[in-house]
Amino acid sequence: MLRLNEIKLALNHSEADLRAAICATLAIRDEALLSYSLFKRSYDARKKKNILLIYQIDALVSPELETQLLGQLDNLVGVRATPDTGYHFVAQAEPTFPAAQQARPIVIGFGPCGILAALLLAQMGLKPIVLERGQDVRQRTQDTWALWRKRELNPESNVQFGEGGAGTFSDGKLWSQVKDKRHLGRKVLSEFVKAGAPEEILFVSKPHIGTFKLVTMVERIRAEIIHLGGEIRFNQKVSELHREAPVEGGTGQVTGVTLADGEFLPSRHVVLAIGHSARDSFEMLLAQGVYMEAKPFSIGFRIEHPQSVIDQARFGASAGHPILGSADYKLVHHCKSGRSVYSFCMCPGGTVVAAASEPGGVVTNGMSQYSRNERNANSAIVVGITPEQDYPEHVLAGVDLQRKLERLAFDLGGGDYSAPAQLVGDFLNNKPSVDLSAVSASYQPGISLGDLSKALPAFAIEALREAIPAFNKQIDGFSMADALLTGVETRTSSPICIKRGADFQSINTLGLYPAGEGAGYAGGILSAGIDGIKVAEAIALDLLKLDTVSES
């Protein structure tokens, strides 16, 4: 087949227009085009009056014509042979694996990274044991709704902890800026489609799934791992990591883990896919000598607008077009102070959700269903902070700062898991809010209007007050007085990085594979899944004593 890139057509083109464009690009007659399939579709909305769809197409012609066209590529703009985007396993265990229990790899955490790591290990015949501190996704959903509806928080089963990870209660966004020469992202998406995701996630430019579909998908992937010989254990918190004492200045070797109930599981290959909110696990690992460093993250608020305002600002008269769907945005502002403010985890047609995992704290996040048809758009608007400038005291000082801000938000909200909130106009004018206006609050279990200037450090408030009006130049209506801010957003990424080498192993603990968001190597569902695949490959190659695979 032939891959055609950058075919641009008007938003309301017909199928005949697309077929004609393919033939024109290849300089062939219509009858010579046997068939074609969509590889990727995106849009260019920079000119609202002339929104274009951009296609990558795989075209099938006769073998003889394909050979002829491949010999003329210098004359065919944007045409090449269709590349192989299929996934190829780096190893495969014998059916008799494992010869001993301790040979089985352990995966700690069953979020996107842990799920893909466990799935790939199972597909390679390595029969992983998965340890998830939270509950299965159905029970976890009930526990999460208990906070949203009844103000009852389960510290071990919530938006952050449990089967599916934090990504289950989010927009289910499936795009990433990770360099992916081996098409590992397509492997992730293909597995999601096999588990029930819409096939469109394979070709739309910004695919998403939504919580309701994710729940069923996660269950199906779990069943596949078990079918392939894996073992998945819920409510199994790891309390201790065992390792051979390192030679002075050298590295130790993982030998297994102890669970909270005292059970010891031996293993010399442990995937650490614990997510960015496993603070007690960070403390345990640090106490046991695993090397980690503080890293930058961001803090801020959630902002809500009517989705119609964002649609109109981005698409103009084409707002509401079924191909375009609900509009999103990506914004960055560099402040006079040197700070950067940016939008994060934008959720079109979604809701702001309570994402606390510790008693006495308030944390916000954003969530959308597949339809993205709720009244409001929401996004985090956050300020970048660094350990050198903002929390230099010790490795886990970023965790301390997160806790401090979350507990402050809890108090400002009234001490019952309500979130503090303020209208954008009042926030910009340094005036407490007392009543909502055109934008209703979507956050559950509820909000408490007041003064958000008390919720973050002064430098962050100053940066946000500078950035919001600046964003209005890109999204007309962004700084509308009736828009709503809800606080606080503190879990944008992990506050630590568990350093690893080119072999994906901890730099001072052999057999420990830090992975995903919690270890500082991913930022979202797709990148976490990709990292899980890379780590699983590294384990397989080490277990089976094979040559390494390229990082790229």
Side-chain angles (χ1 to χ4, degrees):
M1 299 186 78
L2 299 169
R3 171 70 52 79
L4 286 65
N5 296 301
E6 295 290 308
I7 292 181
K8 297 183 179 181
L9 293 171
L11 179 60
N12 292 310
H13 73 81
S14 66
E15 285 295 324
D17 293 333
L18 179 56
R19 185 178 180 92
I22 295 169
C23 293
T25 301
L26 294 174
I28 62 175
R29 301 172 72 89
D30 182 83
E31 57 267 24
L33 179 61
L34 302 181
S35 66
Y36 63 89
S37 59
L38 191 57
F39 182 75
K40 187 71 68 177
R41 185 188 70 205
S42 59
Y43 60 79
D44 181 350
R46 287 174 295 179
K47 297 179 180 179
K48 287 182 283 189
K49 294 183 179 180
N50 185 30
I51 296 176
L52 298 176
L53 296 180
I54 305 172
Y55 291 95
Q56 287 180 284
I57 296 290
D58 287 328
L60 178 65
V61 298
S62 69
E64 296 79 15
L65 181 55
E66 181 176 329
T67 299
Q68 177 185 334
L69 292 172
L70 288 174
Q72 302 173 357
L73 291 185
D74 289 343
N75 301 319
L76 299 174
V77 178
V79 179
R80 57 175 173 151
T82 296
D84 178 9
T85 58
Y87 180 75
H88 303 278
F89 290 98
V90 300
Q92 191 67 45
E94 296 295 330
T96 55
F97 179 91
Q101 174 69 18
Q102 60 264 33
R104 296 180 70 180
I106 290 175
V107 178
I108 305 175
F110 204 49
C113 180
I115 287 172
L116 267 296
L119 178 62
L120 202 75
L121 288 168
Q123 289 174 337
M124 291 187 289
L126 296 175
K127 301 179 176 63
I129 300 172
V130 177
L131 303 173
E132 168 55 55
R133 68 187 294 171
Q135 297 289 350
D136 68 84
V137 71
R138 295 284 173 178
Q139 179 60 50
R140 179 189 175 205
T141 300
Q142 294 181 34
D143 294 336
T144 298
W145 278 101
L147 173 60
W148 295 352
R149 291 176 172 173
K150 303 177 183 178
R151 305 177 190 268
E152 297 173 356
L153 174 66
N154 182 337
E156 297 297 337
S157 183
N158 47 62
V159 166
Q160 307 296 347
F161 300 143
E163 183 179 24
T168 302
F169 297 96
S170 72
D171 188 44
K173 288 179 282 290
L174 298 174
W175 64 88
S176 169
Q177 296 180 341
V178 172
K179 293 181 179 179
D180 188 20
K181 295 180 180 179
R182 293 179 53 227
H183 309 289
L184 301 184
R186 195 161 183 86
K187 166 68 170 172
V188 175
L189 297 180
S190 296
E191 292 295 345
F192 286 175
V193 170
K194 284 169 56 179
E199 288 196 24
E200 69 179 37
I201 69 172
L202 292 171
F203 65 81
V204 296
S205 61
K206 295 181 178 180
H208 75 284
I209 299 176
T211 293
F212 289 163
K213 291 182 181 293
L214 279 166
V215 167
T216 301
M217 288 164 46
V218 167
E219 289 179 320
R220 289 175 177 170
I221 296 175
R222 180 217 308 166
E224 178 67 9
I225 294 169
I226 294 171
H227 173 72
L228 294 171
E231 179 182 346
I232 299 175
R233 299 169 61 172
F234 296 110
N235 196 27
Q236 298 286 301
K237 183 177 177 180
V238 174
S239 61
E240 186 176 358
L241 180 79
H242 295 270
R243 61 178 189 159
E244 295 170 351
V247 178
E248 185 174 352
T251 58
Q253 166 67 52
V254 164
T255 57
V257 299
T258 293
L259 305 180
D261 62 5
E263 181 182 2
F264 172 73
L265 295 176
S267 180
R268 297 177 70 84
H269 295 84
V270 175
V271 178
L272 199 61
I274 55 178
H276 62 39
S277 294
R279 296 163 172 173
D280 49 0
S281 296
F282 298 158
E283 293 166 358
M284 177 268 290
L285 293 165
L286 184 64
Q288 294 180 344
V290 175
Y291 183 79
M292 63 182 70
E293 296 176 353
K295 63 174 278 295
F297 62 102
S298 301
I299 56 175
F301 304 132
R302 280 269 152 188
I303 189 168
E304 291 189 86
H305 301 87
Q307 181 63 49
S308 58
V309 170
I310 307 301
D311 291 345
Q312 181 65 34
R314 295 278 283 116
F315 299 145
S318 297
H321 194 286
I323 286 182
L324 299 176
S326 297
D328 63 4
Y329 56 77
K330 185 176 182 181
L331 304 170
V332 180
H333 176 70
H334 301 289
C335 297
K336 297 173 185 176
S337 64
R339 301 276 181 179
S340 290
V341 180
Y342 62 97
S343 61
F344 172 78
C345 186
M346 195 274 158
C347 297
T351 56
V352 180
V353 299
S357 58
E358 294 181 344
V362 162
V363 186
T364 63
N365 195 10
M367 185 178 82
S368 298
Q369 297 301 341
Y370 175 71
S371 62
R372 288 179 165 176
N373 63 359
E374 298 293 335
R375 180 183 303 175
N376 292 351
N378 79 79
S379 173
I381 302 297
V382 292
V383 183
I385 58 177
T386 65
E388 296 81 8
Q389 186 174 5
D390 302 305
Y391 42 101
E393 297 87 357
H394 54 87
V395 173
L396 297 182
V399 172
D400 292 345
L401 177 58
Q402 287 177 326
R403 280 193 172 124
K404 175 183 175 181
L405 296 176
E406 291 164 14
R407 290 169 179 169
L408 176 58
F410 182 81
D411 292 339
L412 290 172
D416 62 356
Y417 295 104
S418 294
Q422 189 174 14
L423 300 186
V424 165
D426 291 338
F427 175 74
L428 296 178
N429 291 307
N430 196 22
K431 184 179 75 171
S433 292
V434 294
D435 290 304
L436 291 173
S437 187
V439 179
S440 58
S442 64
Y443 177 92
Q444 294 179 322
I447 63 166
S448 176
L449 288 171
D451 181 5
L452 282 177
S453 68
K454 302 174 183 177
L456 294 177
F459 70 80
I461 298 299
E462 178 185 352
L464 291 167
R465 284 177 172 158
E466 178 182 331
I468 290 173
F471 290 154
N472 200 76
K473 297 175 182 178
Q474 301 176 61
I475 302 290
D476 187 27
F478 195 87
S479 63
M480 61 184 289
D482 294 343
L484 183 66
L485 294 169
T486 306
V488 290
E489 179 96 12
T490 53
R491 311 281 182 98
T492 52
S493 67
S494 179
I496 60 101
C497 179
I498 304 173
K499 301 294 288 186
R500 69 188 187 192
D503 59 0
F504 297 93
Q505 298 181 66
S506 160
I507 61 173
N508 76 335
T509 307
L510 292 173
L512 181 65
Y513 293 79
E517 285 204 44
Y521 294 98
I525 294 173
L526 188 61
S527 61
I530 291 171
D531 203 54
I533 290 175
K534 290 180 179 180
V535 164
E537 290 178 336
I539 288 175
L541 294 171
D542 188 67
L543 256 176
L544 303 176
K545 307 304 178 188
L546 301 172
D547 292 332
T548 59
V549 67
S550 170
E551 162 71 19
S552 62

